Amino acid sequence: MARCNGKVLCICLLPCVMVGHLLVYILVSICITMSYSPATLPIRFIAPGVSSNSGALAAHPRNPFWNLRIQKGALWNQLQHRLDRQHNPILRGNRSQQASTEGVRPQEGGPQGVSPACSPDQSWAPLLKDFSTLPEQMRDFILSMHCAEYPIVTDQPGVCDGKLRPEEAPMLLLAIKSETGNFENRQAIRQTWGRNGWMQGEAGGRGGLVRTVFLLGKQDPSMGLYADLEKLLEIEKSQHRDILQWDFRDTFYNLTLKDVLFLRWFSQRCPHARFVFKGDDDVFVRTRALLHFLHQQEEETEDEGQNQKKPVRDFLMGEVIANAVPNRQSFTKYYIPESFYKGAYPPYAGGGGVVYTGALALRLGEVSNRVHLFPIDDVYLGMCLHRLGVSPTHHPGFLTFDLPGTDKESPCSYHNIILVHKRSPKEMLRLWSMLKTPPPAC
Ligand SMILES: *[C@@H]1O[C@H](CO)[C@@H](O)[C@H](O)[C@H]1NC(C)=O
Ligand SMILES: *[C@@H]1O[C@H](CO)[C@@H](O)[C@H](O)[C@H]1NC(C)=O
């Protein structure tokens, strides 16, 4: 009888014990999730090979899905947290589309100049405790980071004539970050890899229509004395009609502004360009090889769609840097104080040169209204991509950190790359003529 009782008792208690265990398990998982903090990651790891952006593998999110905790004490994170919540489609439903224009940044700058929202009084500097101790360029940035609206001084409305007829639009728009004084770089680019017009593909490959624009701000007067080059620039503008200039100080921390303003210009003036290359004026690009490569991308999507021409899947390609963390050394060029930004950077492509689809450029232009300006332009683009759910794709042919020392002199090594940094105007001319004739044997 007692044995029988024991069995009954066991059978009755078993479910209770199991439910109990389950509850303990749930409690422990909740505790772990709440105390989650991203693991510390190695600095500046450069991804080898092509990253898994092929659609089969989705990027693994580093943060929990519901990240409602704010990084206390970091200005950018706090501002962005607010903005992200405001635009969260789950929390806000359909309102995000209208909300993108309210509150944060007014979208269009009137022709009369900068709107009242851009006045220095509106700046976020008072929110930062150690503001007065920060380096000057950081302080300048914080004082103006609420404003992404500057009038365009020189526009080139006709660069992409195919604005109305998509089939006449350029295959590739080269948008090159330059500054007033770099006349020689611009001229070398025009004579070599940035030549405007129809360009043959490499070795009989298909070519395409290439258009080139240079992105400029205004000469930075805070650098001390400088020769006034505006007159010279005026001559250049009227000669070549490929210069876009906006009315902001052309400084390193304002490069993000250049990105944002370019993307807006693109959606107005060149929305049908199939691909965009954006890079520095001291890189060398094998444009013919790039055209060939882009044609291949288009063909791949054509095959998938059974001979129907489908738009290329959105991508951004370059030298991908993953798991980078902010530089905390206050004397360096890339310094980001802890009071400004906390956490790792999203994966991004080195700003020396990246190529992306025109469709992605349009989406980036839209999402840039929902991402606060960040002092480092390539990281900023990574932040925008992150919000679009696109991960940058690594291509081993983009050498934004140059070739290994021994390969620099060998002509063969240049036949396997798409981009190399950094090259002087003279070297650009030499490389371009060298690449015209295929090497004997590589
Ligand atoms: C959400 O927006 C889309 C287009 O913007 C619209 O077609 C749809 O009806 C909206 N849904 C709701 C629930 O308002
Ligand atoms: C960026 O340009 C604006 C407008 O000219 C200027 O007020 C600001 O100080 C600049 N920012 C930096 C970091 O140089």
Side-chain angles (χ1 to χ4, degrees), residues 137-138 140-141 144 150 247-251 253-254 257:
Q137 65 164 355
M138 199 61 222
D140 283 347
F141 179 81
S144 62
Y150 294 93
D247 189 11
F248 64 83
R249 263 172 62 202
D250 214 339
T251 58
Y253 274 9
N254 264 347
L257 211 44

Side-chain angles (χ1 to χ4, degrees), residues 158-438:
V159 167
C160 302
D161 304 306
K163 201 174 85 172
L164 301 176
R165 282 162 298 182
E167 61 282 358
E168 283 174 26
M171 163 100 184
L172 179 61
L173 177 73
L174 304 173
I176 299 152
K177 297 177 272 182
S178 188
E179 50 189 87
T180 305
N182 295 357
F183 294 99
E184 200 182 349
N185 293 54
R186 288 195 289 276
Q187 192 54 34
I189 290 172
R190 284 186 196 110
Q191 290 180 16
T192 58
W193 60 267
R195 195 175 291 165
N196 227 325
W198 182 267
M199 199 179 282
Q200 280 297 319
E202 196 165 61
R206 277 198 284 167
L209 185 61
V210 175
R211 291 282 179 238
T212 305
V213 286
F214 295 95
L215 316 175
L216 271 71
K218 282 277 175 89
Q219 254 180 311
D220 178 13
S222 67
M223 294 299 283
L225 291 177
Y226 62 88
D228 186 355
L229 302 171
E230 285 297 328
K231 287 266 154 57
L232 221 54
L233 188 66
E234 288 306 318
I235 299 173
E236 189 189 356
K237 281 177 189 170
S238 58
Q239 272 257 311
H240 296 285
R241 305 193 174 281
D242 57 6
I243 288 181
L244 301 177
Q245 191 182 28
W246 286 271
D247 189 11
F248 64 83
R249 263 172 62 202
D250 214 339
T251 58
F252 176 63
Y253 274 9
N254 264 347
L255 281 178
T256 308
L257 211 44
K258 217 174 250 191
D259 248 314
V260 171
L261 293 170
F262 164 70
L263 289 169
R264 286 188 201 159
W265 175 89
F266 179 83
S267 62
Q268 271 191 2
R269 300 287 191 211
C270 204
H272 296 301
R274 266 136 73 198
F275 298 97
V276 178
F277 168 87
K278 219 187 108 254
D280 291 336
D281 65 359
D282 57 356
V283 297
F284 179 80
V285 183
R286 283 178 62 218
T287 317
R288 298 180 203 280
L290 182 59
L291 285 172
H292 180 69
F293 173 77
L294 294 175
H295 273 301
Q296 277 176 335
Q297 301 300 307
E298 288 192 321
E299 273 156 23
E300 270 172 34
T301 26
E302 272 170 46
D303 290 344
E304 279 170 31
Q306 277 117 29
N307 298 330
Q308 275 185 347
K309 195 154 176 143
K310 275 205 312 182
V312 189
R313 191 187 287 132
D314 280 353
F315 67 79
L316 179 143
M317 206 171 275
E319 176 150 24
V320 172
I321 299 159
N323 298 341
V325 294
N327 188 323
R328 303 295 191 203
Q329 292 167 308
S330 59
F331 51 86
T332 57
K333 188 181 177 192
Y334 296 95
Y335 171 62
I336 297 295
E338 232 161 302
S339 58
F340 184 76
Y341 182 81
K342 271 191 191 152
Y345 289 150
Y348 64 95
V354 292
V355 61
Y356 42 89
T357 57
L360 185 60
L362 297 176
R363 290 170 69 200
L364 282 169
E366 275 168 29
V367 84
S368 72
N369 289 310
R370 297 189 250 140
V371 185
H372 283 292
L373 292 180
F374 192 81
I376 300 174
D377 65 333
D378 39 14
V379 173
Y380 178 80
L381 217 54
M383 291 166 162
C384 289
L385 283 179
H386 179 73
R387 276 161 185 82
L388 288 176
V390 176
S391 18
T393 309
H394 186 74
H395 189 295
F398 284 73
L399 300 176
T400 51
F401 294 100
D402 209 340
L403 284 163
T406 48
D407 293 349
K408 260 187 224 176
E409 298 310 318
S410 136
C412 280
S413 47
Y414 288 96
H415 282 267
N416 301 316
I417 58 147
I418 288 185
L419 171 146
V420 65
H421 181 255
K422 117 183 220 169
R423 291 294 177 272
S424 69
K426 272 205 179 67
E427 286 169 315
M428 284 182 203
L429 294 168
R430 191 176 59 82
L431 281 173
W432 188 253
S433 66
M434 182 188 93
L435 287 171
K436 253 189 204 149
T437 45

Side-chain angles (χ1 to χ4, degrees), residues 103-154:
V104 198
R105 267 187 225 150
Q107 282 212 305
E108 299 296 332
Q112 60 277 69
V114 173
S115 82
C118 279
S119 80
D121 301 343
Q122 308 271 322
S123 96
W124 288 306
L127 298 177
L128 215 67
K129 277 192 217 81
D130 60 349
F131 179 75
S132 55
T133 62
L134 295 176
E136 195 186 347
Q137 65 164 355
M138 199 61 222
R139 275 184 285 146
D140 283 347
F141 179 81
I142 290 161
L143 283 174
S144 62
M145 71 174 279
H146 58 291
C147 183
E149 233 191 287
Y150 294 93
I152 190 160
V153 188
T154 308

